[in-house]
């Protein structure tokens, strides 16, 4: 790992992400690129050329001052930090910046407070997750320590999940962490017999070319089941495959009850299929 991209909007959540990124960077000798999107509105750009230039300079000056404050954080000491400020307005363009800068990972804060679906769907974070070609770690709360010992990957054992597993496994090895795969079998109309799931598991292992730890977990809700399993296993990181522009909704459908929302404090890594 050489470069970590951290999109910041100067909120406390983006600072939580930056602090986690700094820990990852120190652990693996990586550099950090701080990326801020000015997002000047069309109304600003529609002004006269002189007014437009003056207002753009004003917001750029504010952004430069704020991003400089971020680079001077104590936890970034001894970490190589670069800054990029651009007038992108669409968070889907974060992927373009990550590609241009040859980043290996995106670490981004989320303002989500009401569970897994609201943590991603319809938010700027979801747009980054949906379009990023490199892994994204979503941070919701402050983590004084970012020690990864146990990683759980939720999977439906589709063939395309093989590449996701390999990337998750590579990340686990960086931390010398354990990695296990869980299949959440929802009860009710969508319930699938264990014998069928077992065949999927074996086919997945065969395609992967090695024996891995896979667990079968039944729960009425896919989303709640994932978080409940991670909670029971005391997981430090959850890995979720994404389907590109189809978004997380293709993999995770529905919403969570209020009492499950606290589980979203668990850092989540999304990896594009």
């Amino acid at each position: 790992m050489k470069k970590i991209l951290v999109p910041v909007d100067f909120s406390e959540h983006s600072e939580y992400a930056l602090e986690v990124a700094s820990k990852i960077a120190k652990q693996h000798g990586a550099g950090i690129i701080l990326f801020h999107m000015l997002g000047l509105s069309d109304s600003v750009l529609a002004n006269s050329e002189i007014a437009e230039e003056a207002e753009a300079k004003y917001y750029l000056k504010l952004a430069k001052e704020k991003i400089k404050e971020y680079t001077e954080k104590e936890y970034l000491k001894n970490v190589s930090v670069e800054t990029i400020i651009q007038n992108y307005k669409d968070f889907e363009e974060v992927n373009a910046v990550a590609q241009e800068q040859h980043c290996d990972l995106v670490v981004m804060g989320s303002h989500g407070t009401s569970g897994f679906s609201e943590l991603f769907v319809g938010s700027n974070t979801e747009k980054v997750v949906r379009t990023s070609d490199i892994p994204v770690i979503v941070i919701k709360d402050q983590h004084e320590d970012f020690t990864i010992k146990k990683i759980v990957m939720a999977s439906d054992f589709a063939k395309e999940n093989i590449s996701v597993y390999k990337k998750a496994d590579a990340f686990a090895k960086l931390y010398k962490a354990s990695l296990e795969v869980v299949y959440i079998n929802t009860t009710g109309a969508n319930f699938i017999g264990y014998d069928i799931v077992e065949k999927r598991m074996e086919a997945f292992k065969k395609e992967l070319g090695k024996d891995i730890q896979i667990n079968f977990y039944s729960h009425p809700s896919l989303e709640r089941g994932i978080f409940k399993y991670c909670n029971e296993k005391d997981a430090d990181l959850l890995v979720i495959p994404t389907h590109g522009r189809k978004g997380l909704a293709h993999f995770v459908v529905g919403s969570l009850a209020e009492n499950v929302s606290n589980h979203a404090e668990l850092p989540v890594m999304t990896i594009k299929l």
Side-chain angles (χ1 to χ4, degrees):
M1 187 177 300
K2 295 181 180 179
K3 288 186 180 180
I4 302 170
L5 183 69
V6 184
V8 295
D9 60 3
F10 307 130
S11 66
E12 62 178 357
H13 296 88
S14 60
E15 188 168 348
Y16 295 158
L18 179 58
E19 189 167 5
V20 167
S22 73
K23 297 179 189 299
I24 297 174
K26 288 178 181 178
Q27 290 163 344
H28 305 294
I32 288 177
I33 296 179
L34 275 174
F35 175 50
H36 177 66
M37 299 168 65
L38 280 177
L40 296 180
S41 67
D42 292 335
S43 61
V44 170
L45 300 177
N47 291 332
S48 69
E49 187 174 332
I50 295 176
E52 175 188 325
E53 183 178 355
E55 192 156 2
K57 284 183 177 179
Y58 171 74
Y59 286 114
L60 179 60
K61 181 175 181 292
L62 288 180
K64 284 182 175 179
E65 291 174 352
K66 194 65 180 177
I67 209 166
K68 186 175 184 296
E69 291 178 15
Y70 267 50
T71 63
E72 295 171 347
K73 298 292 183 182
E74 181 64 26
Y75 52 74
L76 286 175
K77 189 175 181 180
N78 300 321
V79 176
S80 173
V81 180
E82 300 175 53
T83 61
I84 296 176
I85 300 175
Q86 295 185 7
N87 190 39
Y88 288 149
K89 291 181 287 183
D90 192 334
F91 270 77
E92 293 182 359
E93 297 184 79
V94 170
N95 182 56
V97 176
Q99 296 295 328
E100 290 168 3
Q101 298 298 320
H102 306 290
C103 294
D104 306 290
L105 179 69
V106 175
V107 180
M108 188 172 183
S110 170
H111 299 260
T113 56
S114 300
F116 190 79
S117 296
E118 288 189 33
L119 173 63
F120 291 108
V121 179
S123 68
N124 288 328
T125 304
E126 191 271 342
K127 293 175 184 176
V128 174
V129 164
R130 175 160 41 89
T131 56
S132 180
D133 292 319
I134 64 174
V136 178
I137 292 182
V138 179
I139 302 296
K140 181 181 174 184
D141 294 299
Q142 187 172 27
H143 294 267
E144 294 182 2
D145 184 27
F146 191 72
T147 301
I148 303 296
K149 294 181 179 179
K150 182 175 290 187
I151 301 174
V152 169
M153 172 182 161
S155 176
D156 59 3
F157 301 123
K159 186 176 181 179
E160 57 264 33
N161 280 207
I162 295 292
S163 62
V164 175
Y165 178 87
K166 289 180 178 178
K167 290 178 182 178
D169 187 45
F171 189 79
K173 287 176 179 175
L174 284 176
Y175 280 91
K176 297 181 180 179
S178 65
L179 171 63
E180 60 185 74
V181 180
V182 61
Y183 177 85
I184 307 297
N185 198 18
T186 54
T187 54
N190 295 320
F191 182 81
I192 299 175
Y194 181 75
D195 56 335
I196 297 176
V197 178
E198 189 174 34
K199 288 180 181 179
R200 288 186 183 179
M201 292 177 179
E202 293 307 315
F204 187 82
K205 291 180 185 178
K206 185 177 181 180
E207 185 69 27
L208 186 61
K210 67 175 183 178
D211 190 29
I212 60 172
Q213 183 178 354
I214 296 179
N215 294 295
F216 180 90
Y217 194 79
S218 295
H219 196 278
S221 163
L222 173 60
E223 301 93 335
R224 297 182 197 179
I226 290 173
F227 284 108
K228 192 166 187 283
Y229 181 85
C230 288
N231 186 50
E232 291 178 3
K233 292 290 184 175
D234 198 24
D236 301 300
L237 181 71
L238 167 64
V239 173
I240 294 284
T242 68
H243 290 71
R245 293 188 178 276
K246 294 179 181 178
L248 283 181
H250 187 78
F251 182 81
V252 179
V253 181
S255 61
L256 294 178
E258 188 66 25
N259 65 332
V260 185
S261 64
N262 288 332
H263 294 173
E265 295 175 4
L266 175 76
V268 177
M269 173 184 275
T270 61
I271 301 176
K272 191 174 180 179
L273 293 168

